Amino acid sequence: MLTLTCPAQLRLLEETLRKALPAALPVLGTVMLVARGNPARYEVLVDSWPHFGVVLTRLRPEENRDSGDFYANQSTVFYRDEGAWRALLGGTDAINWNWAFQLHGMQDGVYGALREVVEAKGLRMD
């Protein structure tokens, strides 16, 4: 996963996500926040740049202090390629499976893929 920090990259991502509304709305809000100073200390991750398949936003790992606080540990996701989303879930450390978290996404397949990985890992999902 690549972390986008460059203002030009964030603006380009913002423009791309606007074209994918309403499905990209949860991610777009966080990207806009990060691009405008990032007072909440979030980060924007993509699987590749500039032709990304999935965007994930989350609180910076150094800001996560409570492993049980799923309100603070929120992530948002938007994908253009469901295979990239599934690869992110199964093959990266973008999500800390040892901590409670919330995941927000508006596309069909977001939670189905998540549920499959949770079950394969023997974890519980509420």
Side-chain angles (χ1 to χ4, degrees):
M1 295 299 294
L2 305 169
T3 303
L4 297 185
T5 57
C6 172
Q9 290 176 329
L10 291 167
R11 278 192 302 275
L12 181 59
L13 180 59
E14 199 176 314
E15 291 173 20
T16 303
L17 292 171
R18 285 181 192 275
K19 295 174 186 172
L21 288 173
L25 187 60
V27 170
L28 177 60
T30 307
V31 170
M32 291 173 67
L33 180 74
V34 171
R36 287 160 179 78
N38 200 14
R41 297 193 168 99
Y42 275 82
E43 63 183 1
V44 177
L45 305 168
V46 293
D47 61 336
S48 61
W49 186 256
H51 304 290
F52 66 89
V54 63
V55 179
L56 180 79
T57 67
R58 65 180 185 189
L59 193 61
R60 291 181 183 160
E62 61 270 15
E63 300 297 327
N64 280 342
R65 294 193 173 89
D66 185 352
S67 64
D69 187 357
F70 63 90
Y71 289 111
N73 300 325
Q74 294 185 34
S75 298
T76 60
V77 65
F78 171 76
Y79 60 81
R80 295 195 278 192
D81 174 14
E82 189 172 343
W85 170 232
R86 289 177 180 277
L88 178 143
L89 287 172
T92 70
D93 60 353
I95 294 178
N96 185 345
W97 296 101
N98 298 316
W99 287 40
F101 65 91
Q102 287 186 39
L103 181 71
H104 301 275
M106 295 181 62
Q107 295 169 277
D108 290 336
V110 168
Y111 295 106
L114 182 64
R115 185 176 296 115
E116 289 174 17
V117 173
V118 165
E119 289 173 1
K121 291 180 178 286
L123 301 172
R124 192 186 90 208
M125 184 168 127
D126 292 329

